[in-house]
Amino acid sequence: MDEHIKKTRFETRAIHGPKVPEDGTRSVTTPIYPSSTYGVEYPGDESGYVYARWSNPTRKALEQTLASLENGSHAYAFSSGLAALNAVLTLLKSGDHIVAVDDLYGGSMRQFEKVARNFGLDFTYVDGRQPDNFENAIKENTRLFWVETPTNPLLHLVDIEKVSAIAKEHNILLGVDNTFATPFIQQPLTLGADIVLHSASKYLGGHCDIIAGALVVNDPTLAEKLYFAQYAVGAHLNPFESWLMLRGIKTLHLRMERHSVNSMKIVEFLETVDLVDKIYYPGQDGNKVPNEMIMPGGMVTFSLKADFDAVKQFCMATKVFVLAESLGGVESLINHPASMTHASIPKEEREARGITDGLVRLSVGVEHIDDLLIDLRNALTALRKHLEVAAS
Ligand SMILES: Cc1ncc(COP(=O)(O)O)c(C=O)c1O
């Protein structure tokens, strides 16, 4: 990255990330290099690009941009968020123990429980809102704390600085899944984390058109190990999707601002609705928002005073909010965790974790707020009618 650009602010670095010097065309945008292999000067020459699994100019430009935005030294782009998580697990060995937040993305938990356990890793899940819970769960063989903040779907917040202090005291690595907040809102490495993970399929891509993941670190030894995992396992991101992510990142700050403004207005509205039981939103519980999150982001979760089927009907009644899995795109999405993202968790366990049948998760997009509010109002009117009929 140009020395002058390196010193600029987040928004400028997001737009003017590294240029690709090899190109020579003065292209304003980073080109897509589809080449799988590169000519070398002599046998064994590894001074430049060799083979695209090792590195690729488009992916490299993206990785340098990601490192800069997360205040890290190195970043690696993967074929999905879960592929990035798998690379983190390659830092461990059979017999190691991990303490993770209990309100974890279901796919991450599935990888821990159904894949990593088979390789001899052990996991304990704790409520991450109390940092002491991490300390109390430490065993002799604990090597990694794994945190999401805000969590999915209950938007619990974890105090990264406090958990990092505990991790450092016990010589344990701290990894933070920063998918929901994005580096525009919070930068975990600055708060003491060792590894940042993104499902870039969400806000970094920003348009629901890629599946991608990323890891960012600030330590050369960790960087070397993760780079090894990237090229030895081969779950790197391809050039076209790298380019799409680079394009998405250029508007990340604009999108996050609008996502946040729209979500705050939706929360204000939900507070006035008698059918709404509880709202989950960063800062909503009256507690201080840790981690210097500069804005709340675009996720809003709430529970309705209605049963499983009625809530499903509510989610099907919106016309602007699309009923869909995933989140983080410009388009608003609505999700019923109990029958969608978290359906694979047995009901009792789900309920114990607070993921009740009445829970609805919104990924608030960047459409006009009035259209979003009208859409929710109309769906609530339909729900009211449904409940009246059911009661009569
Ligand atoms: C917080 C979080 N982390 C990780 C993932 C996994 O990412 P991907 O779907 O890109 O593999 C997701 C996906 O929904 C997620 O929400």
Side-chain angles (χ1 to χ4, degrees):
M1 190 179 289
D2 178 275
E3 285 307 313
H4 177 75
I5 299 295
K6 263 188 195 165
K7 292 182 201 128
T8 57
R9 287 163 187 77
F10 184 99
E11 296 82 341
T12 313
R13 281 177 285 131
I15 292 168
H16 290 282
K19 301 289 175 240
V20 181
E22 297 86 346
D23 180 67
T25 59
R26 300 196 181 186
S27 166
V28 169
T29 60
T30 301
I32 302 170
Y33 287 85
S35 189
S36 62
T37 191
Y38 294 83
V40 293
E41 290 285 322
Y42 50 86
D45 174 19
E46 292 184 4
S47 59
Y49 295 103
V50 178
Y51 185 57
R53 177 158 42 73
W54 302 15
S55 191
N56 160 285
T58 315
R59 190 170 89 227
K60 191 167 167 193
L62 166 68
E63 291 175 338
Q64 289 178 353
T65 303
L66 287 167
S68 162
L69 297 183
E70 280 286 5
N71 271 331
S73 56
H74 296 77
Y76 301 101
F78 290 84
S79 56
S80 69
L82 288 184
L85 183 62
N86 193 246
V88 174
L89 295 181
T90 66
L91 299 172
L92 307 174
K93 58 181 191 326
S94 176
D96 286 349
H97 172 245
I98 294 112
V99 182
V101 292
D102 56 4
D103 190 31
L104 198 62
Y105 166 60
S108 303
M109 196 173 271
R110 183 175 52 219
Q111 184 173 131
F112 288 170
E113 291 300 315
K114 301 254 165 83
V115 182
R117 264 197 199 277
N118 294 338
F119 289 86
L121 295 180
D122 183 24
F123 298 86
T124 301
Y125 300 97
V126 298
D127 183 337
R129 287 171 294 182
Q130 274 85 44
D132 288 351
N133 290 344
F134 285 90
E135 182 136 43
N136 296 336
I138 293 175
K139 298 183 188 176
E140 210 182 300
N141 54 342
T142 306
R143 299 283 174 266
L144 175 71
F145 286 166
W146 192 252
V147 162
E148 265 176 40
T149 179
T151 61
N152 179 6
L154 296 175
L155 307 178
H156 291 162
L157 300 177
V158 179
D159 192 321
I160 298 171
E161 270 183 306
K162 289 200 176 137
V163 177
S164 152
I166 298 167
K168 287 195 170 41
E169 197 187 320
H170 295 271
N171 208 12
I172 292 168
L173 284 175
L174 170 61
V176 175
D177 183 330
N178 202 26
T179 298
F180 275 32
T182 83
F184 184 58
I185 292 184
Q186 104 189 331
Q187 292 160 3
L189 295 179
T190 313
L191 298 162
D194 300 293
I195 305 167
V196 167
L197 178 142
H198 280 281
S199 167
S201 325
K202 313 295 183 313
Y203 289 106
L204 292 185
H207 297 76
C208 290
D209 53 9
I210 56 170
I211 297 292
L215 295 176
V216 192
V217 293
N218 219 348
D219 171 81
T221 312
L222 262 184
E224 208 176 301
K225 289 180 181 170
L226 293 173
Y227 173 58
F228 180 80
Q230 188 193 39
Y231 90 78
V233 176
H236 60 275
L237 192 63
N238 72 36
F240 182 55
E241 283 172 338
S242 296
W243 181 84
L244 278 173
M245 203 203 300
L246 266 174
R247 188 166 74 157
I249 284 172
K250 289 180 194 216
T251 55
L252 180 65
H253 54 290
L254 299 175
R255 290 185 282 108
M256 292 320 290
E257 278 168 8
R258 177 62 88 89
H259 285 301
S260 296
V261 169
N262 278 357
S263 70
M264 284 188 270
K265 289 192 174 147
I266 285 176
V267 168
E268 259 172 53
F269 163 68
L270 292 174
E271 281 171 339
T272 67
V273 177
D274 57 348
L275 279 175
V276 171
D277 193 26
K278 203 159 175 205
I279 301 170
Y280 302 84
Y281 190 62
Q284 182 71 19
D285 54 8
N287 290 326
K288 180 180 160 286
V289 175
N291 306 334
E292 301 161 18
M293 282 178 71
I294 60 167
M295 53 187 73
M299 301 303 295
V300 177
T301 301
F302 59 98
S303 57
L304 286 167
K305 295 175 193 160
D307 63 22
F308 186 82
D309 286 328
V311 178
K312 264 171 69 176
Q313 293 293 327
F314 168 80
C315 293
M316 287 158 64
T318 54
K319 300 266 187 282
V320 181
F321 280 88
V322 180
L323 180 63
E325 307 252 346
S326 201
L327 58 111
V330 289
E331 44 286 282
S332 289
L333 305 180
I334 188 164
N335 169 40
H336 181 223
S339 60
M340 296 171 75
T341 43
H342 294 70
S344 62
I345 306 173
K347 184 174 159 75
E348 268 181 25
E349 191 187 325
R350 207 171 11 87
E351 301 251 331
R353 283 173 48 189
I355 305 166
T356 57
D357 288 349
L359 211 66
V360 175
R361 189 190 76 184
L362 302 178
S363 171
V364 180
V366 300
E367 300 94 337
H368 196 290
I369 184 62
D370 291 351
D371 293 322
L372 298 180
L373 291 173
I374 289 167
D375 201 36
L376 290 176
R377 253 187 223 115
N378 289 344
L380 282 163
T381 305
L383 173 64
R384 247 179 258 286
K385 281 196 188 125
H386 176 92
L387 293 176
E388 275 163 23
V389 171
S392 63

